[in-house]
Amino acid sequence: MPQTASQSLADYFCSLTISSLTPDNIAVAKTLTGDYLGVALGGSKTDSGKIAARFAEEMGGSQEATLIGQSGRASAVHAAFANAIASHSIELDDIDVLALFHFSPPVVSAALATAEKVGATGAETVTAVFAGCEMMERASRATNNSLRNRGFHTTPTCGVFGATVAAGILLKLKPEKMVSALGMAGAQASGLMEMYGPSMQKRFNPGPTARNGLTAAIMASMGFTGTNLIFEGERGFCKAFSDDAAVGELTRDLGKPYELLLEYKPYSCARPIHNAIDCALDIRGQMKEPLSQVKSIAMRRHPDWAHYHLNATPKTYHEAQVSLPYSVAIALLEGGALPPQYQNSKLNDPDIRRLSDLVKVTPDASLPRGVSCHMTLETAGGATYTSQIDYPRGSVQNPMTRADMDKKTHMLGDDVIGEAGVKRMLELVAGMDDLPKLSVLMESVSRPKVRELA
């Protein structure tokens, strides 16, 4: 009988070592890990990050893994849960090129927690991170855009398979046990797009995903068995989550060098909004009149995203980070879109509200990419300014420099572990594939405990 998709995937991923990866693969895994740690440090300061860490500590169990940006530790499954939430709490985590999902909250969270649990090397962890991301992207290609359009959130629904593969590699699962782990991962695939609003809902989604992937791998290592038809079965993942599944995408060119393209965020909001922010910043640089003279702001978006992120009156900064009108307004007014711009104290600012209300979005299928935006701003004096952005800053075609990436990490982490601490962390990431123990890296992102005075 021919192999099922999960059997083929398990055979492939269980055979991987760092020597299987290209230099570009290794560089991608290390860059992703460094960005993830900086973003998780920033996220550790948020209410959602703090609550998740508190939950992890209060659940008890062996103190196997670091809670990033905190002084405590937790069991690996709970550390993966809390760190995934922290890393998704400030909307600065990495993104795939189609802006459908975030790799690192589920995959890197599971990989780093597992690496600490088992005493893995840096090279083993690099391999697990890359493999987990490849698995996650394959699951997305097999099910999107239908999965997203049906209301499922790609990061958790596809991310659980990536988290499982990453953890399974570090637990040294044999192929038959990896198959079972993937089956149990599918049983836990979940996550809804009903997450935009004033609550912390969106922050939560990758937490269970990282935890569930690690749980599936641990259960499989103990002998718990799972189905080998989780992907293509009659009631399997692909048919349950997609109206237009392409099961063959799961294993297409499996075993050939895999090019993993990731994009990184310079702005603290949903990635499909970044094109609009770049348009606003471009026009801001062109304008000669004061912003008080703005009469209209017309934003054309590709139909893939034209009906998302339209709330012009966010009630919390969580909502503002998924609001295109607010983001355009704040970029025009302040020339930035980072955590200082997404604050509850700004939400009722009359100038921001006025500009937000002027933003009108219409679909335009002629735009070349799913995230493309074309902005036209008109002033009371009759001036018209236009900008079209197809590849936003941080994209593969318009990348952030190494200096940009390091500046971002210092901005997020310096007030958590200190400037010297962030510098040390970045140095360890750069040499991650040579670390005899990955735990050395994780020690660098733990906040020192404050000694109580006698």
Side-chain angles (χ1 to χ4, degrees), residues 37-52:
L37 290 172
V39 174
L41 284 169
S44 74
K45 299 178 289 185
T46 64
D47 288 344
S48 50
K50 290 176 182 177
I51 292 169

PDB file of all heavy atoms in Angstrom, residues 37-52:
ATOM      1  N   LEU A  37      12.737  35.649  20.111  1.00  0.00           N
ATOM      2  CA  LEU A  37      13.116  35.922  21.500  1.00  0.00           C
ATOM      3  C   LEU A  37      12.940  37.397  21.838  1.00  0.00           C
ATOM      4  O   LEU A  37      12.469  37.745  22.924  1.00  0.00           O
ATOM      5  CB  LEU A  37      14.553  35.471  21.747  1.00  0.00           C
ATOM      6  CG  LEU A  37      14.776  33.949  21.761  1.00  0.00           C
ATOM      7  CD1 LEU A  37      16.269  33.634  21.806  1.00  0.00           C
ATOM      8  CD2 LEU A  37      14.054  33.292  22.937  1.00  0.00           C
ATOM      9  N   GLY A  38      13.306  38.273  20.920  1.00  0.00           N
ATOM     10  CA  GLY A  38      13.115  39.699  21.173  1.00  0.00           C
ATOM     11  C   GLY A  38      11.645  40.060  21.303  1.00  0.00           C
ATOM     12  O   GLY A  38      11.249  40.803  22.212  1.00  0.00           O
ATOM     13  N   VAL A  39      10.818  39.511  20.415  1.00  0.00           N
ATOM     14  CA  VAL A  39       9.389  39.803  20.461  1.00  0.00           C
ATOM     15  C   VAL A  39       8.762  39.219  21.728  1.00  0.00           C
ATOM     16  O   VAL A  39       7.905  39.843  22.367  1.00  0.00           O
ATOM     17  CB  VAL A  39       8.686  39.268  19.197  1.00  0.00           C
ATOM     18  CG1 VAL A  39       7.180  39.431  19.305  1.00  0.00           C
ATOM     19  CG2 VAL A  39       9.206  39.998  17.961  1.00  0.00           C
ATOM     20  N   ALA A  40       9.194  38.020  22.120  1.00  0.00           N
ATOM     21  CA  ALA A  40       8.666  37.421  23.352  1.00  0.00           C
ATOM     22  C   ALA A  40       9.087  38.222  24.580  1.00  0.00           C
ATOM     23  O   ALA A  40       8.306  38.353  25.538  1.00  0.00           O
ATOM     24  CB  ALA A  40       9.141  35.971  23.477  1.00  0.00           C
ATOM     25  N   LEU A  41      10.289  38.774  24.570  1.00  0.00           N
ATOM     26  CA  LEU A  41      10.707  39.650  25.670  1.00  0.00           C
ATOM     27  C   LEU A  41       9.785  40.860  25.747  1.00  0.00           C
ATOM     28  O   LEU A  41       9.333  41.254  26.829  1.00  0.00           O
ATOM     29  CB  LEU A  41      12.156  40.098  25.481  1.00  0.00           C
ATOM     30  CG  LEU A  41      13.241  39.062  25.789  1.00  0.00           C
ATOM     31  CD1 LEU A  41      14.598  39.552  25.297  1.00  0.00           C
ATOM     32  CD2 LEU A  41      13.294  38.755  27.282  1.00  0.00           C
ATOM     33  N   GLY A  42       9.498  41.469  24.599  1.00  0.00           N
ATOM     34  CA  GLY A  42       8.571  42.593  24.593  1.00  0.00           C
ATOM     35  C   GLY A  42       7.187  42.181  25.051  1.00  0.00           C
ATOM     36  O   GLY A  42       6.530  42.877  25.825  1.00  0.00           O
ATOM     37  N   GLY A  43       6.733  41.024  24.592  1.00  0.00           N
ATOM     38  CA  GLY A  43       5.415  40.531  24.961  1.00  0.00           C
ATOM     39  C   GLY A  43       5.295  40.139  26.417  1.00  0.00           C
ATOM     40  O   GLY A  43       4.191  40.134  26.980  1.00  0.00           O
ATOM     41  N   SER A  44       6.437  39.827  27.043  1.00  0.00           N
ATOM     42  CA  SER A  44       6.411  39.438  28.459  1.00  0.00           C
ATOM     43  C   SER A  44       5.978  40.583  29.359  1.00  0.00           C
ATOM     44  O   SER A  44       5.578  40.362  30.508  1.00  0.00           O
ATOM     45  CB  SER A  44       7.793  38.923  28.892  1.00  0.00           C
ATOM     46  OG  SER A  44       8.734  39.991  29.026  1.00  0.00           O
ATOM     47  N   LYS A  45       6.011  41.826  28.852  1.00  0.00           N
ATOM     48  CA  LYS A  45       5.631  42.995  29.646  1.00  0.00           C
ATOM     49  C   LYS A  45       4.141  43.295  29.564  1.00  0.00           C
ATOM     50  O   LYS A  45       3.632  44.110  30.327  1.00  0.00           O
ATOM     51  CB  LYS A  45       6.419  44.225  29.165  1.00  0.00           C
ATOM     52  CG  LYS A  45       7.919  44.102  29.287  1.00  0.00           C
ATOM     53  CD  LYS A  45       8.640  45.323  28.746  1.00  0.00           C
ATOM     54  CE  LYS A  45       8.567  45.403  27.237  1.00  0.00           C
ATOM     55  NZ  LYS A  45       9.371  46.528  26.684  1.00  0.00           N
ATOM     56  N   THR A  46       3.447  42.669  28.633  1.00  0.00           N
ATOM     57  CA  THR A  46       2.025  42.947  28.435  1.00  0.00           C
ATOM     58  C   THR A  46       1.186  42.203  29.470  1.00  0.00           C
ATOM     59  O   THR A  46       1.630  41.230  30.077  1.00  0.00           O
ATOM     60  CB  THR A  46       1.578  42.511  27.029  1.00  0.00           C
ATOM     61  OG1 THR A  46       1.715  41.091  26.914  1.00  0.00           O
ATOM     62  CG2 THR A  46       2.411  43.192  25.952  1.00  0.00           C
ATOM     63  N   ASP A  47      -0.047  42.643  29.624  1.00  0.00           N
ATOM     64  CA  ASP A  47      -0.950  41.942  30.539  1.00  0.00           C
ATOM     65  C   ASP A  47      -1.162  40.498  30.102  1.00  0.00           C
ATOM     66  O   ASP A  47      -1.171  39.584  30.933  1.00  0.00           O
ATOM     67  CB  ASP A  47      -2.298  42.663  30.601  1.00  0.00           C
ATOM     68  CG  ASP A  47      -2.218  43.987  31.346  1.00  0.00           C
ATOM     69  OD1 ASP A  47      -1.218  44.196  32.066  1.00  0.00           O
ATOM     70  OD2 ASP A  47      -3.147  44.804  31.207  1.00  0.00           O
ATOM     71  N   SER A  48      -1.332  40.286  28.795  1.00  0.00           N
ATOM     72  CA  SER A  48      -1.565  38.919  28.321  1.00  0.00           C
ATOM     73  C   SER A  48      -0.345  38.039  28.555  1.00  0.00           C
ATOM     74  O   SER A  48      -0.477  36.868  28.953  1.00  0.00           O
ATOM     75  CB  SER A  48      -1.939  38.926  26.837  1.00  0.00           C
ATOM     76  OG  SER A  48      -1.032  39.681  26.071  1.00  0.00           O
ATOM     77  N   GLY A  49       0.850  38.588  28.348  1.00  0.00           N
ATOM     78  CA  GLY A  49       2.063  37.830  28.599  1.00  0.00           C
ATOM     79  C   GLY A  49       2.251  37.508  30.075  1.00  0.00           C
ATOM     80  O   GLY A  49       2.655  36.393  30.441  1.00  0.00           O
ATOM     81  N   LYS A  50       1.948  38.466  30.928  1.00  0.00           N
ATOM     82  CA  LYS A  50       2.098  38.255  32.371  1.00  0.00           C
ATOM     83  C   LYS A  50       1.100  37.227  32.896  1.00  0.00           C
ATOM     84  O   LYS A  50       1.437  36.380  33.733  1.00  0.00           O
ATOM     85  CB  LYS A  50       1.922  39.583  33.115  1.00  0.00           C
ATOM     86  CG  LYS A  50       3.059  40.573  32.901  1.00  0.00           C
ATOM     87  CD  LYS A  50       2.744  41.901  33.589  1.00  0.00           C
ATOM     88  CE  LYS A  50       3.839  42.932  33.348  1.00  0.00           C
ATOM     89  NZ  LYS A  50       3.492  44.250  33.952  1.00  0.00           N
ATOM     90  N   ILE A  51      -0.131  37.296  32.418  1.00  0.00           N
ATOM     91  CA  ILE A  51      -1.150  36.342  32.865  1.00  0.00           C
ATOM     92  C   ILE A  51      -0.769  34.925  32.437  1.00  0.00           C
ATOM     93  O   ILE A  51      -0.904  33.967  33.205  1.00  0.00           O
ATOM     94  CB  ILE A  51      -2.533  36.730  32.316  1.00  0.00           C
ATOM     95  CG1 ILE A  51      -3.009  38.029  32.954  1.00  0.00           C
ATOM     96  CG2 ILE A  51      -3.552  35.616  32.566  1.00  0.00           C
ATOM     97  CD1 ILE A  51      -4.235  38.632  32.287  1.00  0.00           C
ATOM     98  N   ALA A  52      -0.290  34.796  31.191  1.00  0.00           N
ATOM     99  CA  ALA A  52       0.092  33.473  30.700  1.00  0.00           C
ATOM    100  C   ALA A  52       1.248  32.896  31.518  1.00  0.00           C
ATOM    101  O   ALA A  52       1.256  31.701  31.851  1.00  0.00           O
ATOM    102  CB  ALA A  52       0.476  33.557  29.225  1.00  0.00           C
TER     103      ALA A  52
END
